[in-house]
Amino acid sequence: MVEKIIYIALQKIVGEVEFDLEIPARSENGDYSTNVAMKLFANLKNKQQDLEIMGEKFEVVSPRSIAELIRDKLSKDEELSTYISKIEVAGSGFVNFYLNNAYLINVIKEVLAKGSNYGKKASNNGKRAIVEYSSPNIAKPFTIGHLRSTVIGDAYANMLEMVGWEVLRDNHLGDWGTQFGKQIYAIKAWGSETEIEKSENPVKDLVALYVRFHKEAETNPELEDKAREWFKKLESGDEEVRRLWLKCIDWSFREFSKIYNELGVKFSEKFNGGRGLGESFFEDKMHAVIEELDNKSFLKVGEGGAKLVFFDNDKYPPAMILKKDGSTLYHTRDLATDKYRKDNFDPDLIVNEVGAEQQLYFKQLFEMEKMLGWFDLSQRVHLFHGMFRFKDRKMSTRKGNVIWLEEVLEQAISRAREMGSKVSETAKIIGIGAIKWNDLKHDPKADVVFDWDEILNMQGNSGPYMQYTYARCMSVLEKSGSKSVGLSSDGTYQLNADEREITTKLSQYSGTILIGVKNYSPSVICTYLYNLASTFNKFYNSNKIVGSDNEELRLALTKATATVIKSGLDILGIQAPERM
């Protein structure tokens, strides 16, 4: 809350400026800091203008002189003085704010009073978002490559809920296309439905058949024509082919459901009972979209007879909607998907968590939806991620060289057990949490190198370190034997430097969530939690808690820290064990 108060106070002073005021950030020198004076100086100097503050004009001399003027004005703000003990100017023009003791004590009380609701905001109540993530292909392996979309999308959906959004979660399955012609041909030619049905992992059997198809097709290209014939039968509704296709979907969900259960990831029941709406669902909904594009004169005939949408001033390359033979493409299906979402759920926001390689594709899609009048560009977000990198392996489904996510999760749990987690459920929580944290702590846009030593490190920026810090907090509370932890309403408490540092970080939690939502990055939450945990561990090692003269305050601070760590881990989809 205090970030917002500072922000509003700054707006009173500097008014409407031609750059975005940033939410004041944590500083090494003050509890919060802003470089607004430096931005103002550069802005005004370029325009050769004087500075105007609350009706008074001042000559622009330097960023520091502007910062001093802002400090003098803010020091007289009554609302701000309720929270701030002093305001200082540092360096060439930073304005630093120091929180007062009474406010910090109230932060601890607020965390304890609100518990798991601390940090939640109602600022977006009444708004609905659809977040699409994971989206694996039916009859294809659920590999380590699918992990990023799954955990980033799930975490971002949780972040939106924390700031008041109603979130619908969709899993846009790849369950249509010519690859199913290949799959069905392979099952008919070399497979056994009975054996696949009995298999512990039928998707691995389907992948083996898919790989065999491509190997056979290298020497017998006619198989590609056979595959197209089988897919055409599927499109035309052939009962036998459709039965086999539905079998592929059910077989796939045996593995998918197991993976999602392990990861603790769920999708909205509104979308096919929680499975998600696949591409096939929109096959009979594409005609209306094509007709709308045509009626609005957006559909043009290109070379060879294909139908495309062209963008004004060649903003993007043309988007193909129909091939020359009249068959549809991904853009056709995605337009039908979003029209269905618009007509049935009227979302204020749609977020697609899909890899970075699809950036141009989504820019074209969003522009077409703007042209059609469906959504503003502000309502459409491509939350994209970089790739997982292994030091010595590359993945290819066609060649059969894949890293199965199920095997990675099993290995993570096994390694957690080797670290000393004898209780199988705890080992599972630590292993899965380590995999998730390793992904989420990075900027989603960055590539991630998969390194077991880093993932399961108990000391560094890792999932086990965060879980261990939470378990340490709970151990301290258990050791105290106190049934109730809190601060009395009439008590007088003074914070030492370590206690003050932790409490200041606790006060930044809700602001951190807002920044993470704005930047589409769960990594912001990870960075905050890691800094909070490091600060608590420094406090723990330097201060006696149970049995100290300041025990009541320190126990309350310990419980508040545990509350925020658990809340943050919940947002990230990571469990927090009470013992490790």
Side-chain angles (χ1 to χ4, degrees):
M1 180 179 71
V2 72
E3 299 104 320
K4 186 175 180 181
I5 298 299
I6 297 172
Y7 181 88
I8 292 171
L10 282 168
Q11 281 189 319
K12 290 180 188 176
I13 302 299
V14 301
E16 296 297 325
V17 295
E18 294 182 15
F19 56 83
D20 289 334
L21 282 175
E22 296 177 0
I23 294 175
R26 178 75 170 91
S27 166
E28 290 300 319
N29 299 314
D31 294 326
Y32 288 92
S33 181
T34 178
N35 63 351
V36 64
M38 301 162 82
K39 287 189 173 184
L40 267 174
F41 177 77
N43 196 45
L44 293 168
K45 188 176 181 182
N46 287 339
K47 296 192 171 186
Q48 297 183 328
Q49 291 180 339
D50 289 334
L51 174 65
E52 185 171 321
I53 292 182
M54 301 181 76
E56 293 185 69
K57 284 197 174 183
F58 301 88
E59 184 182 354
V60 174
V61 178
S62 67
R64 186 176 177 90
S65 66
I66 296 175
E68 288 169 349
L69 284 168
I70 292 173
R71 175 202 60 198
D72 293 343
K73 295 293 183 182
L74 288 179
S75 297
K76 299 173 183 176
D77 188 290
E78 292 185 10
E79 184 179 18
L80 193 59
S81 65
T82 306
Y83 307 94
I84 303 298
S85 60
K86 64 179 177 177
I87 305 171
E88 291 183 343
V89 174
S92 58
F94 287 95
V95 182
N96 293 331
F97 304 85
Y98 295 81
L99 300 172
N100 63 38
N101 189 78
Y103 171 73
L104 290 173
I105 294 298
N106 281 331
V107 167
I108 301 172
K109 291 179 179 179
E110 185 182 359
V111 176
L112 298 182
K114 291 186 176 179
S116 61
N117 289 319
Y118 180 70
K120 288 186 177 180
K121 297 287 184 183
S123 52
N124 293 287
N125 279 2
K127 293 184 179 179
R128 174 180 290 163
I130 295 176
V131 182
E132 172 193 309
Y133 54 99
S134 194
S135 305
N137 291 317
I138 294 298
K140 296 286 185 68
F142 205 126
T143 70
I144 188 66
H146 293 96
L147 178 66
R148 299 218 71 192
S149 177
T150 304
V151 301
I152 293 171
D154 187 59
Y156 191 71
N158 293 338
M159 289 163 65
L160 286 174
E161 287 181 335
M162 284 291 288
V163 296
W165 287 83
E166 176 197 357
V167 180
L168 301 179
R169 303 156 185 259
D170 194 11
N171 190 4
H172 193 64
L173 300 164
D175 64 353
W176 203 250
T178 54
Q179 70 267 27
F180 284 99
K182 299 174 183 180
Q183 192 72 67
I184 291 169
Y185 176 89
I187 294 171
K188 289 288 188 182
W190 310 299
S192 164
E193 283 189 57
T194 303
E195 293 302 316
I196 297 172
E197 189 68 48
K198 292 179 181 177
S199 175
E200 290 186 6
N201 193 330
V203 174
K204 287 190 175 181
D205 296 338
L206 294 175
V207 170
L209 290 168
Y210 186 76
V211 170
R212 180 171 178 179
F213 177 91
H214 282 280
K215 287 182 178 178
E216 296 282 348
E218 288 176 4
T219 56
N220 185 6
E222 292 181 1
L223 291 182
E224 296 286 352
D225 293 328
K226 296 286 187 184
R228 280 188 282 271
E229 289 174 11
W230 279 105
F231 181 61
K232 190 173 181 180
K233 289 182 180 180
L234 178 59
E235 284 187 303
S236 63
D238 182 284
E239 288 187 11
E240 169 61 13
V241 179
R242 184 173 177 80
R243 181 193 65 80
L244 198 50
W245 168 70
L246 289 171
K247 276 283 189 182
C248 288
I249 294 175
D250 287 339
W251 287 329
S252 298
F253 259 92
R254 286 191 198 173
E255 181 195 355
F256 295 173
S257 296
K258 182 179 178 182
I259 295 293
Y260 290 137
N261 286 337
E262 290 279 84
L263 293 174
V265 171
K266 294 182 179 179
F267 300 93
S268 299
E269 290 290 319
K270 292 179 184 291
F271 300 125
N272 194 24
R275 279 191 173 186
L277 295 177
E279 293 176 29
S280 62
F281 180 81
F282 302 98
E283 279 299 295
D284 63 352
K285 298 169 179 59
M286 289 187 288
H287 177 74
V289 170
I290 296 167
E291 192 174 67
E292 185 172 347
L293 286 168
D294 201 19
N295 290 340
K296 293 182 177 179
S297 301
F298 293 138
L299 209 55
K300 309 293 183 183
V301 179
E303 293 183 13
K307 292 189 177 181
L308 309 96
V309 171
F310 290 80
F311 301 99
D312 288 344
N313 302 315
D314 296 325
K315 185 176 183 179
Y316 305 116
M320 189 178 294
I321 303 300
L322 292 171
K323 294 180 183 178
K324 62 182 180 181
D325 63 1
S327 56
T328 58
L329 296 98
Y330 284 115
H331 267 143
T332 330
R333 287 189 282 275
D334 278 333
L335 285 169
T337 301
D338 289 330
K339 181 173 174 57
Y340 173 84
R341 289 167 171 168
K342 176 180 179 294
D343 292 345
N344 289 273
F345 300 103
D346 192 25
D348 300 283
L349 176 70
I350 301 177
V351 179
N352 302 84
E353 208 304 333
V354 184
E357 70 278 4
Q358 297 295 326
Q359 289 181 73
L360 174 59
Y361 174 88
F362 279 102
K363 286 176 181 177
Q364 292 172 311
L365 179 66
F366 298 169
E367 191 70 21
M368 286 189 285
E369 293 179 356
K370 176 189 171 186
M371 291 163 60
L372 288 163
W374 296 355
F375 299 105
D376 293 331
L377 292 181
S378 63
Q379 295 177 282
R380 299 295 283 109
V381 173
H382 176 204
L383 201 176
F384 59 88
H385 61 264
M387 304 296 289
F388 253 127
R389 302 290 185 196
F390 282 72
K391 295 177 180 178
D392 57 352
R393 294 186 69 177
K394 292 183 179 180
M395 291 183 287
S396 169
T397 305
R398 290 188 177 193
K399 295 180 179 179
N401 179 23
V402 295
I403 301 168
W404 294 79
L405 181 55
E406 180 184 20
E407 293 173 359
V408 172
L409 298 181
E410 287 174 354
Q411 188 171 1
I413 295 168
S414 175
R415 286 175 180 245
R417 194 174 291 114
E418 290 171 5
M419 289 167 56
S421 301
K422 302 302 181 184
V423 179
S424 59
E425 186 59 29
T426 302
K428 177 181 174 182
I429 290 171
I430 294 171
I432 301 294
I435 294 293
K436 284 190 171 188
W437 182 274
N438 180 66
D439 187 321
L440 294 170
K441 74 178 182 180
H442 295 92
D443 184 327
K445 300 178 182 64
D447 289 351
V448 176
V449 175
F450 198 90
D451 183 343
W452 281 114
D453 292 335
E454 179 183 349
I455 290 169
L456 290 168
N457 186 357
M458 290 291 288
Q459 300 301 320
N461 185 356
S462 67
Y465 175 78
M466 291 305 309
Q467 292 168 323
Y468 175 74
T469 303
Y470 174 76
R472 168 177 274 182
C473 290
M474 301 309 292
S475 175
V476 170
L477 296 172
E478 184 179 17
K479 182 181 177 182
S480 74
S482 177
K483 293 183 179 179
S484 62
V485 173
L487 299 177
S488 60
S489 58
D490 58 351
T492 302
Y493 305 95
Q494 292 299 320
L495 299 165
N496 68 22
D498 291 337
E499 295 159 351
R500 179 183 175 84
E501 188 176 2
I502 297 174
T503 311
T504 300
K505 289 195 184 311
L506 293 174
S507 76
Q508 296 165 351
Y509 182 49
S510 61
T512 298
I513 297 170
L514 288 170
I515 293 169
V517 169
K518 179 181 178 182
N519 293 326
Y520 306 103
S521 180
S523 67
V524 172
I525 308 293
C526 292
T527 300
Y528 167 83
L529 291 176
Y530 175 62
N531 289 334
L532 174 62
S534 299
T535 302
F536 176 80
N537 285 320
K538 184 182 76 170
F539 158 76
Y540 175 87
N541 291 323
S542 303
N543 299 269
K544 184 179 181 180
I545 300 177
V546 179
S548 69
D549 292 339
N550 213 11
E551 180 181 274
E552 185 177 59
L553 172 66
R554 291 180 179 176
L555 285 175
L557 195 52
T558 300
K559 185 174 181 180
T561 301
T563 298
V564 171
I565 288 177
K566 186 176 187 307
S567 172
L569 290 177
D570 284 345
I571 291 174
L572 301 172
I574 297 173
Q575 291 182 260
E578 295 194 2
R579 291 183 176 82
M580 285 182 68

